[in-house]
Amino acid sequence: MATLSYRTAGESHGPAMIALIEGMPAGVPIDAAFIDGELRRRQGGYGRGARQRIETDVVRFLSGVRQGMTIGSPIAIEIVNADSRIDDAERTPPVFRPRPGHADLAGSIKWLTTDCRGTLERASARETAARTAAGAVARCLLSCFGVEVFGFVRGALDLQSALQPSAAELPALRTRRDASEMYCPDESVSARLVEAIHQAKVDKDTVGGWCEVHVFGLPPGLGSCVSVDARLDSRIAAAVMGIQAFKGVEIGLGMAVAARRGSEVHDPIHFDPARRGESHLGFTRPTNNAGGLEGGMTNGMPVVVRGAMKPISTLLRGMPSVDLRSGEASQSQYERSDISAVAAASVVMEHVVAFEIARAFLEKFGGDSMSELRTNHAAFLHAARQLGGG
Ligand code: EPS
C-alpha cells in the first residue's frame, strides 16, 4: 500500500480547491459532517475579511469513499469556490505593486512577469481549506484509535495565555475554545486579543500570533530515529512551516532548551506497573519538555507543537514597494484581505499535524484495511507491554 500522502490544487478565485489523498486503508468511517464542521471553523475567527461571508466551505468526495467508508482507492475532495472569477480580467485585475511579506515579488521574479496575480492566486491561504479537509480525513482514522488532536491560539503581540491543556480537560477546553472568537480557551486573553486586532484594523495594520497543537492518546514508537526523513519531529516541523505565513515552529520547550541545562530540560523516566493498561505501557514522565518526541519518535507523552504566524501581509495602509512596470517607488497594492487569520491558522495547524501523525501511524502499523490495522496496533501494544518486566 502507498504511504499516506496528499497534494492540493486550486487557485483562490478559481472554480474549486482540490485535495487528493493516497494511502488511506479501506474501512475508515468518514464523518463528512465533522469535516465540514472543521472547514467552518477554519473560515471563522475574529479579524477575517469579507471573503468568508461569500464562501460556505463543504467537502464533496469525488472518489475513494463509498457509503461513508473509504475503499482503499485515492480520495479526491472538491471544495467549490463561490467567489470564482479568475478568468474575469476586470474582477481579477493585474497586481503590479507587490506586497512586502506576500509571495508577490519573489513569485513575479520567479515566473518572469510584472503581474503578481498568478503568484498570489496560488500562494493565497485559501488553499488551506483543502489541507484542512485532508487533515480532517486523517483525523477520521486517528479517532478510531483514541488519538485526539487539539489546536488553539496561544496569543499574539504581547499577549500569551499560560494555559496548559490536558487530556482530561479536553471536552471542556474544546467548549471554551469554540466559544472564543479567537479560538483561545483563555477568556481574558481572548478578549484582549479581540481588542488588539480591532485596534490594528483601526490603524489599517495587521496581526499574526502563536498557534499550538496538542496530540493526546498516541502510542509510543511512531516515527523513527534511523533517518532524517523518518523523524516525526522533522516532518511535523516541515508541515507547520509549510502553512502560509508561518515563520517559526517549536516542539515542546522549543527554543527555550538552549537557555537551560540538561537536568532542567530532560524529562525523567519513571515506571509504574499499576498504570499498565490497554494503551498505557506503565512508563510515566513527570514533565513533557520534549513535547512527546524523543529521537524523532513518539514517547507516549502528548505531542506539543507551537507555530508562529507573521501578520497578514496585505495592509490597508500599504507598505513601501515598487511598481514592477516602471521601477518607481510606490505603496503596495491593496487586495481584499484579513486583519488577522491566526484563529483560522490554528485550525489549519491542527490538521497538518494530524495528517503527519496519521502518516506515521500507518507506517508503523500498516495494512490495507482497518481490520489489519487494528490487529497490528493491538499486537504491537501487547508486545510493548512486556517491557519493564511483563
Ligand atoms: C488571502 C486573501 C483573502 C483571504 C484568503 C487569503 O482572500 P480574498 O482576496 O479572496 O479576499 O480571505 O483566505 C481565504 C480566502 C480563505 O478561505 O482562507 C491571501 O492573500 O492569502
Side-chain angles (χ1 to χ4, degrees), residues 244-271:
Q244 289 81 340
F246 274 60
K247 283 300 214 187
V249 189
E250 295 183 309
I251 291 177
L253 262 191
M255 302 289 173
V257 295
R260 297 190 189 187
R261 294 166 81 174
S263 57
E264 300 160 328
V265 167
H266 304 304
D267 307 303
I269 301 172
H270 297 165
F271 184 65

PDB file of all heavy atoms in Angstrom, residues 244-271:
ATOM      1  N   GLN A 244       0.953  28.707   5.011  1.00  0.00           N
ATOM      2  CA  GLN A 244       1.139  30.087   4.579  1.00  0.00           C
ATOM      3  C   GLN A 244       1.338  30.993   5.795  1.00  0.00           C
ATOM      4  O   GLN A 244       0.595  30.908   6.767  1.00  0.00           O
ATOM      5  CB  GLN A 244      -0.098  30.567   3.787  1.00  0.00           C
ATOM      6  CG  GLN A 244      -0.261  29.961   2.414  1.00  0.00           C
ATOM      7  CD  GLN A 244      -0.883  28.592   2.429  1.00  0.00           C
ATOM      8  OE1 GLN A 244      -0.900  27.893   3.424  1.00  0.00           O
ATOM      9  NE2 GLN A 244      -1.410  28.170   1.277  1.00  0.00           N
ATOM     10  N   ALA A 245       2.358  31.849   5.725  1.00  0.00           N
ATOM     11  CA  ALA A 245       2.632  32.907   6.733  1.00  0.00           C
ATOM     12  C   ALA A 245       3.285  32.394   8.015  1.00  0.00           C
ATOM     13  O   ALA A 245       3.532  33.184   8.921  1.00  0.00           O
ATOM     14  CB  ALA A 245       1.365  33.700   7.092  1.00  0.00           C
ATOM     15  N   PHE A 246       3.605  31.097   8.126  1.00  0.00           N
ATOM     16  CA  PHE A 246       4.282  30.627   9.345  1.00  0.00           C
ATOM     17  C   PHE A 246       5.784  30.856   9.224  1.00  0.00           C
ATOM     18  O   PHE A 246       6.386  30.575   8.189  1.00  0.00           O
ATOM     19  CB  PHE A 246       3.968  29.146   9.614  1.00  0.00           C
ATOM     20  CG  PHE A 246       2.678  28.977  10.391  1.00  0.00           C
ATOM     21  CD1 PHE A 246       1.473  29.431   9.876  1.00  0.00           C
ATOM     22  CD2 PHE A 246       2.672  28.389  11.646  1.00  0.00           C
ATOM     23  CE1 PHE A 246       0.283  29.318  10.597  1.00  0.00           C
ATOM     24  CE2 PHE A 246       1.493  28.257  12.378  1.00  0.00           C
ATOM     25  CZ  PHE A 246       0.298  28.715  11.859  1.00  0.00           C
ATOM     26  N   LYS A 247       6.369  31.380  10.288  1.00  0.00           N
ATOM     27  CA  LYS A 247       7.787  31.713  10.270  1.00  0.00           C
ATOM     28  C   LYS A 247       8.580  30.986  11.345  1.00  0.00           C
ATOM     29  O   LYS A 247       9.800  31.117  11.415  1.00  0.00           O
ATOM     30  CB  LYS A 247       7.961  33.233  10.479  1.00  0.00           C
ATOM     31  CG  LYS A 247       7.647  34.043   9.243  1.00  0.00           C
ATOM     32  CD  LYS A 247       8.554  33.641   8.098  1.00  0.00           C
ATOM     33  CE  LYS A 247       8.917  34.752   7.194  1.00  0.00           C
ATOM     34  NZ  LYS A 247       9.670  34.280   6.004  1.00  0.00           N
ATOM     35  N   GLY A 248       7.906  30.268  12.237  1.00  0.00           N
ATOM     36  CA  GLY A 248       8.624  29.556  13.294  1.00  0.00           C
ATOM     37  C   GLY A 248       7.843  28.360  13.780  1.00  0.00           C
ATOM     38  O   GLY A 248       6.612  28.379  13.775  1.00  0.00           O
ATOM     39  N   VAL A 249       8.561  27.307  14.168  1.00  0.00           N
ATOM     40  CA  VAL A 249       7.937  26.091  14.720  1.00  0.00           C
ATOM     41  C   VAL A 249       8.766  25.640  15.915  1.00  0.00           C
ATOM     42  O   VAL A 249      10.002  25.651  15.851  1.00  0.00           O
ATOM     43  CB  VAL A 249       7.929  24.920  13.703  1.00  0.00           C
ATOM     44  CG1 VAL A 249       7.071  23.767  14.234  1.00  0.00           C
ATOM     45  CG2 VAL A 249       7.457  25.337  12.337  1.00  0.00           C
ATOM     46  N   GLU A 250       8.091  25.241  16.964  1.00  0.00           N
ATOM     47  CA  GLU A 250       8.788  24.705  18.133  1.00  0.00           C
ATOM     48  C   GLU A 250       8.077  23.438  18.587  1.00  0.00           C
ATOM     49  O   GLU A 250       6.853  23.333  18.476  1.00  0.00           O
ATOM     50  CB  GLU A 250       8.741  25.698  19.294  1.00  0.00           C
ATOM     51  CG  GLU A 250       9.478  26.991  19.035  1.00  0.00           C
ATOM     52  CD  GLU A 250       9.454  27.908  20.243  1.00  0.00           C
ATOM     53  OE1 GLU A 250       8.357  28.160  20.779  1.00  0.00           O
ATOM     54  OE2 GLU A 250      10.519  28.348  20.661  1.00  0.00           O
ATOM     55  N   ILE A 251       8.858  22.499  19.133  1.00  0.00           N
ATOM     56  CA  ILE A 251       8.274  21.286  19.703  1.00  0.00           C
ATOM     57  C   ILE A 251       8.656  21.255  21.179  1.00  0.00           C
ATOM     58  O   ILE A 251       9.833  21.452  21.522  1.00  0.00           O
ATOM     59  CB  ILE A 251       8.753  20.048  18.938  1.00  0.00           C
ATOM     60  CG1 ILE A 251       8.124  20.083  17.523  1.00  0.00           C
ATOM     61  CG2 ILE A 251       8.371  18.756  19.673  1.00  0.00           C
ATOM     62  CD1 ILE A 251       8.512  18.994  16.597  1.00  0.00           C
ATOM     63  N   GLY A 252       7.663  21.038  22.033  1.00  0.00           N
ATOM     64  CA  GLY A 252       7.905  21.037  23.479  1.00  0.00           C
ATOM     65  C   GLY A 252       8.460  22.373  23.932  1.00  0.00           C
ATOM     66  O   GLY A 252       7.939  23.427  23.598  1.00  0.00           O
ATOM     67  N   LEU A 253       9.558  22.327  24.675  1.00  0.00           N
ATOM     68  CA  LEU A 253      10.180  23.575  25.146  1.00  0.00           C
ATOM     69  C   LEU A 253      10.682  24.445  24.003  1.00  0.00           C
ATOM     70  O   LEU A 253      10.849  25.647  24.149  1.00  0.00           O
ATOM     71  CB  LEU A 253      11.384  23.254  26.033  1.00  0.00           C
ATOM     72  CG  LEU A 253      11.248  23.272  27.545  1.00  0.00           C
ATOM     73  CD1 LEU A 253      12.642  23.193  28.168  1.00  0.00           C
ATOM     74  CD2 LEU A 253      10.533  24.496  28.059  1.00  0.00           C
ATOM     75  N   GLY A 254      10.981  23.824  22.875  1.00  0.00           N
ATOM     76  CA  GLY A 254      11.387  24.570  21.683  1.00  0.00           C
ATOM     77  C   GLY A 254      12.667  25.363  21.896  1.00  0.00           C
ATOM     78  O   GLY A 254      13.640  24.879  22.467  1.00  0.00           O
ATOM     79  N   MET A 255      12.639  26.612  21.469  1.00  0.00           N
ATOM     80  CA  MET A 255      13.836  27.475  21.517  1.00  0.00           C
ATOM     81  C   MET A 255      14.387  27.602  22.933  1.00  0.00           C
ATOM     82  O   MET A 255      15.582  27.849  23.128  1.00  0.00           O
ATOM     83  CB  MET A 255      13.504  28.882  20.996  1.00  0.00           C
ATOM     84  CG  MET A 255      12.962  28.921  19.596  1.00  0.00           C
ATOM     85  SD  MET A 255      14.227  28.544  18.375  1.00  0.00           S
ATOM     86  CE  MET A 255      13.232  28.476  16.893  1.00  0.00           C
ATOM     87  N   ALA A 256      13.522  27.452  23.930  1.00  0.00           N
ATOM     88  CA  ALA A 256      13.940  27.666  25.330  1.00  0.00           C
ATOM     89  C   ALA A 256      14.933  26.610  25.804  1.00  0.00           C
ATOM     90  O   ALA A 256      15.592  26.814  26.831  1.00  0.00           O
ATOM     91  CB  ALA A 256      12.711  27.691  26.238  1.00  0.00           C
ATOM     92  N   VAL A 257      15.090  25.482  25.087  1.00  0.00           N
ATOM     93  CA  VAL A 257      16.039  24.451  25.543  1.00  0.00           C
ATOM     94  C   VAL A 257      17.462  25.001  25.612  1.00  0.00           C
ATOM     95  O   VAL A 257      18.266  24.568  26.445  1.00  0.00           O
ATOM     96  CB  VAL A 257      16.051  23.185  24.634  1.00  0.00           C
ATOM     97  CG1 VAL A 257      14.724  22.454  24.691  1.00  0.00           C
ATOM     98  CG2 VAL A 257      16.427  23.519  23.200  1.00  0.00           C
ATOM     99  N   ALA A 258      17.754  25.957  24.740  1.00  0.00           N
ATOM    100  CA  ALA A 258      19.125  26.482  24.667  1.00  0.00           C
ATOM    101  C   ALA A 258      19.499  27.287  25.906  1.00  0.00           C
ATOM    102  O   ALA A 258      20.678  27.502  26.184  1.00  0.00           O
ATOM    103  CB  ALA A 258      19.279  27.331  23.408  1.00  0.00           C
ATOM    104  N   ALA A 259      18.500  27.724  26.637  1.00  0.00           N
ATOM    105  CA  ALA A 259      18.769  28.584  27.805  1.00  0.00           C
ATOM    106  C   ALA A 259      18.833  27.791  29.103  1.00  0.00           C
ATOM    107  O   ALA A 259      18.994  28.377  30.174  1.00  0.00           O
ATOM    108  CB  ALA A 259      17.673  29.648  27.891  1.00  0.00           C
ATOM    109  N   ARG A 260      18.678  26.463  29.027  1.00  0.00           N
ATOM    110  CA  ARG A 260      18.656  25.654  30.259  1.00  0.00           C
ATOM    111  C   ARG A 260      19.704  24.564  30.208  1.00  0.00           C
ATOM    112  O   ARG A 260      20.096  24.122  29.127  1.00  0.00           O
ATOM    113  CB  ARG A 260      17.296  24.966  30.404  1.00  0.00           C
ATOM    114  CG  ARG A 260      16.139  25.903  30.561  1.00  0.00           C
ATOM    115  CD  ARG A 260      14.916  25.110  30.945  1.00  0.00           C
ATOM    116  NE  ARG A 260      13.717  25.925  30.917  1.00  0.00           N
ATOM    117  CZ  ARG A 260      12.539  25.486  31.350  1.00  0.00           C
ATOM    118  NH1 ARG A 260      12.411  24.238  31.790  1.00  0.00           N
ATOM    119  NH2 ARG A 260      11.489  26.270  31.304  1.00  0.00           N
ATOM    120  N   ARG A 261      20.071  24.050  31.393  1.00  0.00           N
ATOM    121  CA  ARG A 261      20.987  22.913  31.455  1.00  0.00           C
ATOM    122  C   ARG A 261      20.194  21.609  31.295  1.00  0.00           C
ATOM    123  O   ARG A 261      18.971  21.578  31.455  1.00  0.00           O
ATOM    124  CB  ARG A 261      21.715  22.943  32.794  1.00  0.00           C
ATOM    125  CG  ARG A 261      22.626  24.152  32.896  1.00  0.00           C
ATOM    126  CD  ARG A 261      23.084  24.377  34.296  1.00  0.00           C
ATOM    127  NE  ARG A 261      24.198  23.495  34.641  1.00  0.00           N
ATOM    128  CZ  ARG A 261      24.872  23.568  35.783  1.00  0.00           C
ATOM    129  NH1 ARG A 261      24.557  24.465  36.675  1.00  0.00           N
ATOM    130  NH2 ARG A 261      25.848  22.739  36.021  1.00  0.00           N
ATOM    131  N   GLY A 262      20.941  20.528  30.996  1.00  0.00           N
ATOM    132  CA  GLY A 262      20.301  19.235  30.716  1.00  0.00           C
ATOM    133  C   GLY A 262      19.350  18.777  31.798  1.00  0.00           C
ATOM    134  O   GLY A 262      18.242  18.300  31.507  1.00  0.00           O
ATOM    135  N   SER A 263      19.766  18.943  33.059  1.00  0.00           N
ATOM    136  CA  SER A 263      18.929  18.462  34.162  1.00  0.00           C
ATOM    137  C   SER A 263      17.615  19.225  34.248  1.00  0.00           C
ATOM    138  O   SER A 263      16.657  18.767  34.868  1.00  0.00           O
ATOM    139  CB  SER A 263      19.698  18.597  35.477  1.00  0.00           C
ATOM    140  OG  SER A 263      20.083  19.953  35.661  1.00  0.00           O
ATOM    141  N   GLU A 264      17.578  20.424  33.610  1.00  0.00           N
ATOM    142  CA  GLU A 264      16.348  21.230  33.648  1.00  0.00           C
ATOM    143  C   GLU A 264      15.512  21.049  32.377  1.00  0.00           C
ATOM    144  O   GLU A 264      14.451  21.644  32.249  1.00  0.00           O
ATOM    145  CB  GLU A 264      16.705  22.712  33.769  1.00  0.00           C
ATOM    146  CG  GLU A 264      17.492  23.074  35.004  1.00  0.00           C
ATOM    147  CD  GLU A 264      18.230  24.392  34.853  1.00  0.00           C
ATOM    148  OE1 GLU A 264      18.647  24.725  33.721  1.00  0.00           O
ATOM    149  OE2 GLU A 264      18.403  25.078  35.857  1.00  0.00           O
ATOM    150  N   VAL A 265      16.049  20.269  31.437  1.00  0.00           N
ATOM    151  CA  VAL A 265      15.346  20.090  30.160  1.00  0.00           C
ATOM    152  C   VAL A 265      14.773  18.671  30.037  1.00  0.00           C
ATOM    153  O   VAL A 265      13.605  18.488  29.683  1.00  0.00           O
ATOM    154  CB  VAL A 265      16.301  20.377  28.969  1.00  0.00           C
ATOM    155  CG1 VAL A 265      15.701  19.904  27.646  1.00  0.00           C
ATOM    156  CG2 VAL A 265      16.630  21.864  28.893  1.00  0.00           C
ATOM    157  N   HIS A 266      15.585  17.654  30.334  1.00  0.00           N
ATOM    158  CA  HIS A 266      15.175  16.284  30.023  1.00  0.00           C
ATOM    159  C   HIS A 266      14.156  15.766  31.029  1.00  0.00           C
ATOM    160  O   HIS A 266      14.268  16.019  32.228  1.00  0.00           O
ATOM    161  CB  HIS A 266      16.409  15.389  29.911  1.00  0.00           C
ATOM    162  CG  HIS A 266      17.356  15.954  28.896  1.00  0.00           C
ATOM    163  ND1 HIS A 266      16.959  16.196  27.597  1.00  0.00           N
ATOM    164  CD2 HIS A 266      18.628  16.399  28.990  1.00  0.00           C
ATOM    165  CE1 HIS A 266      17.961  16.743  26.938  1.00  0.00           C
ATOM    166  NE2 HIS A 266      18.983  16.887  27.756  1.00  0.00           N
ATOM    167  N   ASP A 267      13.167  15.072  30.510  1.00  0.00           N
ATOM    168  CA  ASP A 267      12.042  14.605  31.319  1.00  0.00           C
ATOM    169  C   ASP A 267      12.407  13.267  31.970  1.00  0.00           C
ATOM    170  O   ASP A 267      12.638  12.281  31.254  1.00  0.00           O
ATOM    171  CB  ASP A 267      10.806  14.428  30.418  1.00  0.00           C
ATOM    172  CG  ASP A 267      10.506  15.684  29.600  1.00  0.00           C
ATOM    173  OD1 ASP A 267      10.317  16.745  30.214  1.00  0.00           O
ATOM    174  OD2 ASP A 267      10.482  15.600  28.354  1.00  0.00           O
ATOM    175  N   PRO A 268      12.465  13.207  33.304  1.00  0.00           N
ATOM    176  CA  PRO A 268      12.815  11.945  33.975  1.00  0.00           C
ATOM    177  C   PRO A 268      11.896  10.800  33.533  1.00  0.00           C
ATOM    178  O   PRO A 268      10.742  11.034  33.157  1.00  0.00           O
ATOM    179  CB  PRO A 268      12.590  12.270  35.461  1.00  0.00           C
ATOM    180  CG  PRO A 268      12.661  13.757  35.550  1.00  0.00           C
ATOM    181  CD  PRO A 268      12.158  14.283  34.253  1.00  0.00           C
ATOM    182  N   ILE A 269      12.432   9.565  33.589  1.00  0.00           N
ATOM    183  CA  ILE A 269      11.642   8.380  33.212  1.00  0.00           C
ATOM    184  C   ILE A 269      11.290   7.614  34.485  1.00  0.00           C
ATOM    185  O   ILE A 269      12.179   7.216  35.246  1.00  0.00           O
ATOM    186  CB  ILE A 269      12.452   7.460  32.263  1.00  0.00           C
ATOM    187  CG1 ILE A 269      12.849   8.224  30.991  1.00  0.00           C
ATOM    188  CG2 ILE A 269      11.643   6.201  31.925  1.00  0.00           C
ATOM    189  CD1 ILE A 269      13.805   7.460  30.079  1.00  0.00           C
ATOM    190  N   HIS A 270       9.999   7.426  34.715  1.00  0.00           N
ATOM    191  CA  HIS A 270       9.530   6.623  35.851  1.00  0.00           C
ATOM    192  C   HIS A 270       8.759   5.429  35.294  1.00  0.00           C
ATOM    193  O   HIS A 270       8.305   5.447  34.141  1.00  0.00           O
ATOM    194  CB  HIS A 270       8.600   7.439  36.758  1.00  0.00           C
ATOM    195  CG  HIS A 270       9.267   8.623  37.395  1.00  0.00           C
ATOM    196  ND1 HIS A 270       8.577   9.637  37.998  1.00  0.00           N
ATOM    197  CD2 HIS A 270      10.590   8.950  37.521  1.00  0.00           C
ATOM    198  CE1 HIS A 270       9.414  10.540  38.478  1.00  0.00           C
ATOM    199  NE2 HIS A 270      10.649  10.156  38.188  1.00  0.00           N
ATOM    200  N   PHE A 271       8.598   4.417  36.131  1.00  0.00           N
ATOM    201  CA  PHE A 271       7.819   3.247  35.687  1.00  0.00           C
ATOM    202  C   PHE A 271       6.883   2.824  36.812  1.00  0.00           C
ATOM    203  O   PHE A 271       7.307   2.657  37.957  1.00  0.00           O
ATOM    204  CB  PHE A 271       8.756   2.090  35.329  1.00  0.00           C
ATOM    205  CG  PHE A 271       8.026   0.900  34.778  1.00  0.00           C
ATOM    206  CD1 PHE A 271       7.357   0.972  33.563  1.00  0.00           C
ATOM    207  CD2 PHE A 271       7.983  -0.295  35.489  1.00  0.00           C
ATOM    208  CE1 PHE A 271       6.668  -0.120  33.060  1.00  0.00           C
ATOM    209  CE2 PHE A 271       7.302  -1.395  34.979  1.00  0.00           C
ATOM    210  CZ  PHE A 271       6.645  -1.303  33.768  1.00  0.00           C
TER     211      PHE A 271
END
